[in-house]
Amino acid sequence: MSAGKHIFQSPASGFRRAERAWLWAFRLATYLVLACGLGVFATIVVKGSRTVFQTEAPFLNVRFLTQAPESLYVFDFEGRHYEQGDREHRAFVAAHPAAENVKKESLVYSAGGIFPCIVGTLLLVVGSMSIALFLGVAAAIYLNEYARDGWFIRFVRLAILNLAGVPSIVFGLFGFGLFVIFFGWNVSLLAGWFTLAFMVLPVVITASEESLKAVPKGFREGSLALGATKWQAISTNVLPYALPGILTSSILGVARVAGETAPIMFTAAYVVRDKLPWEVARAGDFFFQGVMALPYHIYVVSSKIPQNDYTERVQYGSAFVFLLLVALIATTSILLRNHLRNRYKW
Amino acid sequence: MVSTLEPPVSALPGPRRADALIAIDHVDFYYGATQALHDITLGIEAKKVTAFIGPSGCGKSTLLRCLNRMNDLIDGTRVGRGTITIRGVDIHRPDVDVIELRKRIGMVFQKSNPFPKSIYENITYGLRLQGLKDKARLDEIVEKSLRGAALWEEVKDRLHTSGLGLSGGQQQRLCIARAIAVEPEVILMDEPCSALDPVATAKIEELIQELRARFTIVIVTHNMQQAARCSDQTAFFYLGRLIEYADTRDIFTKPANPQTEAYVSGRFG
């Protein structure tokens, strides 16, 4: 009986075939995206980890993470093959004067490490996110809590949304024109901070407004009914509950700020700088110095120097460290957000 | 007896008492272009429970929220005509500080809204706003307020756990405790039991009986039995007009207006 026909058997119709075809189309599209993502990650992780990690203790290439970039000298001398960084090479030549005139290949930025770039990127992220969060949250509070809805406020919101679609190179040029030239800040941390902050402001404002909207009206009314001023109600009974949501959106902002190259090309980034950011004469100079930054360094080492096995190390190494750094900052923000979220639940 | 109910052409004037704590005098109220209250006149006596009843949309909550100017928070609302006077002061006078007004006129909301803070912090919230920091004094007020709201015995061992961990009825009593902690003169209750089960409702009603000795209470309710059980005066509203305002006993036993009679006997609403 079980092999025979019954009334619930599927008729072979076009609808059923289309159903299966679409299912596979969706499934393959998802797998394709996944494959591309994994491909990119795997390449960077596999090739980059060769630079960042090593087989003998301490298993981490400390030099790569703690030193400034140097030129790499590759040469054969007295029957042996040498690969030396700038300083090492100079010491070597001092010890073996005959090595001075050996035929050698020199490759810029391919030895040493990327410490100044890591520091520069961290400084850029912290500074610009602080500015963006302060301005963004303040604007969101004004728009959501104080401003009366009207054509003007709707226009402001629309303008902010449109700002999110402006290409980052345009922000870079804007920052260059306003901060670097007009304000005379030159290529500096400060100019980079503000340029990057303006780039992520639309995201921060929009997300902060959404987070504020999600806080139940009852909390505001409850506060006000107890004799709170508007700002007291917002600061004690609205903003703390909106913070986790605001931080969630800023995590995306962090990744963008850390990763964008175009906005800092003209405003904050140096190809190479010998001094570290804290090596300044006066404390005030700190804000007016340019810095090296990871994304810009990656751009430089992958497009401005020859491509070969020696330069590949620093290229993939930088990209790998960059991914790690962004992941680290994002994880910190996520932990902070979770901490806040557990504190205020409703 | 009426068979069809049409909006009353002219509102019956409610009683005005010279010694009323709150005097509402010919008040019109608008949401934008829509008039929500028409020529409301009534007086609310001190240390009494006054109930506002009427079907949904009759304006009773709107009137209640006029008394502590909570309607100010809604864009486009305005009192078109008339005055609301509390202790002889017109609350819409330009020199009235709405913050001071709300400190004296506490409010309990329909949907209980304990803050996502500890029970202790919920009670001390209003006091801290006023700058009170003395720990011993705060502790004392927390206990007194929770006892006042008949909640102390249930929560005294977990004052520092979240107020949201309480049951619905307890949350509403927490909100009452929070309101009385700042020692207001008047407590406005906007359908405080509408989300509660009968047992929790009974507790709140019992509590109202205890609070009437210390506070003037104005309660908006959908539940006519509740108005009958716990109020001294009852005002019946319909379509933004005050239809009848009298002693609760009279409203429920010998209403003067046929519409009131139809409503309290359950024939509409």
Side-chain angles (χ1 to χ4, degrees), chain A:
Chain A
M1 284 302 280
S2 62
K5 278 192 177 279
H6 59 82
I7 56 167
F8 297 124
Q9 218 151 30
S10 172
S13 76
F15 293 121
R16 307 296 155 97
R17 275 197 299 280
E19 178 72 30
R20 264 195 304 279
W22 278 114
L23 168 66
W24 273 102
F26 295 142
R27 189 173 277 167
L28 287 176
T30 311
Y31 291 164
L32 184 70
V33 172
L34 191 68
C36 294
L38 278 179
V40 171
F41 266 93
T43 314
I44 293 175
V45 170
V46 169
K47 294 195 175 177
S49 55
R50 279 186 218 141
T51 312
V52 178
F53 302 111
Q54 57 193 31
T55 44
E56 62 266 34
F59 303 109
L60 195 68
N61 187 346
V62 178
R63 276 181 58 176
F64 188 66
L65 298 177
T66 56
Q67 291 190 352
E70 290 177 21
S71 293
L72 179 71
Y73 293 93
V74 184
F75 57 95
D76 292 306
F77 178 64
E78 294 176 348
R80 283 182 65 189
H81 181 73
Y82 291 93
E83 293 169 22
Q84 294 176 330
D86 206 7
R87 271 174 294 166
E88 197 188 349
H89 182 62
R90 264 181 276 147
F92 184 80
V93 168
H96 307 81
E100 176 102 51
N101 296 314
V102 181
K103 182 175 171 296
K104 48 191 124 169
E105 192 181 358
S106 76
L107 298 154
V108 283
Y109 313 135
S110 301
I114 51 168
F115 182 62
C117 312
I118 299 175
V119 170
T121 290
L122 279 176
L123 282 176
L124 284 171
V125 167
V126 170
S128 57
M129 284 316 289
S130 307
I131 295 171
L133 276 176
F134 178 77
L135 290 179
V137 173
I141 287 175
Y142 177 72
L143 288 174
N144 195 54
E145 308 288 334
Y146 286 92
R148 284 187 175 225
D149 218 17
W151 69 268
F152 179 68
I153 292 302
R154 279 202 296 277
F155 174 74
V156 169
R157 281 211 183 89
L158 192 68
I160 290 169
L161 283 177
N162 279 321
L163 215 54
V166 172
S168 56
I169 186 81
V170 176
F171 278 104
L173 288 172
F174 162 78
F176 180 68
L178 184 68
F179 304 123
V180 177
I181 294 175
F182 186 72
F183 287 177
W185 293 349
N186 295 323
V187 171
S188 61
L189 264 183
L190 204 58
W193 283 346
F194 276 94
T195 309
L196 288 170
F198 283 165
M199 185 187 70
V200 288
L201 259 181
V203 180
V204 174
I205 294 176
T206 312
S208 304
E209 245 199 294
E210 292 305 317
S211 307
L212 288 170
K213 275 204 188 84
V215 176
K217 216 173 78 191
F219 296 163
R220 295 177 180 83
E221 289 192 333
S223 289
L224 294 170
L226 286 166
T229 63
K230 195 149 186 171
W231 170 240
Q232 280 177 322
I234 293 168
S235 60
T236 60
N237 226 358
V238 177
L239 201 51
Y241 317 139
L243 268 186
I246 294 173
L247 282 178
T248 306
S249 67
S250 336
I251 293 167
L252 299 174
V254 165
R256 254 199 102 186
V257 161
E260 283 286 357
T261 317
I264 56 171
M265 264 166 80
F266 317 117
T267 57
Y270 278 2
V271 175
V272 65
R273 189 160 186 270
D274 293 334
K275 283 192 171 139
L276 282 167
W278 45 85
E279 290 166 350
V280 286
R282 289 177 301 125
D285 292 344
F286 179 79
F287 300 99
F288 296 100
Q289 59 177 339
V291 289
M292 296 182 71
L294 267 174
Y296 192 54
H297 188 66
I298 293 171
Y299 164 72
V300 170
V301 296
S302 26
S303 64
K304 304 288 180 204
I305 62 174
Q307 308 287 317
N308 59 34
D309 287 349
Y310 301 115
T311 55
E312 196 185 85
R313 282 184 234 158
V314 67
Q315 289 159 355
Y316 281 98
S318 304
F320 181 54
V321 170
F322 182 43
L323 281 184
L324 285 182
L325 192 69
V326 171
L328 186 78
I329 300 172
T331 311
T332 314
S333 323
I334 291 171
L335 289 177
L336 181 64
R337 176 197 64 186
N338 291 352
H339 171 75
L340 286 173
R341 202 185 257 167
N342 290 338
R343 224 171 111 195
Y344 301 112
K345 260 194 209 139
W346 71 84

Side-chain angles (χ1 to χ4, degrees), chain A residues 147-149 218-219 221-230 232-233 236-237 241 343-346, chain B residues 65 70 73 75-76 99 102-103 105-107 109 113-117 125-126 129 164 178-179 182:
Chain A
R148 284 187 175 225
D149 218 17
F219 296 163
E221 289 192 333
S223 289
L224 294 170
L226 286 166
T229 63
K230 195 149 186 171
Q232 280 177 322
T236 60
N237 226 358
Y241 317 139
R343 224 171 111 195
Y344 301 112
K345 260 194 209 139
W346 71 84
Chain B
R65 290 168 63 95
M70 281 308 262
L73 305 179
D75 283 352
I99 308 297
R102 289 184 191 143
K103 277 183 201 165
I105 317 289
M107 188 160 201
F109 295 83
N113 58 350
F115 305 143
K117 302 171 187 283
Y125 184 84
L129 288 179
L164 295 174
R178 187 174 71 191
V182 294

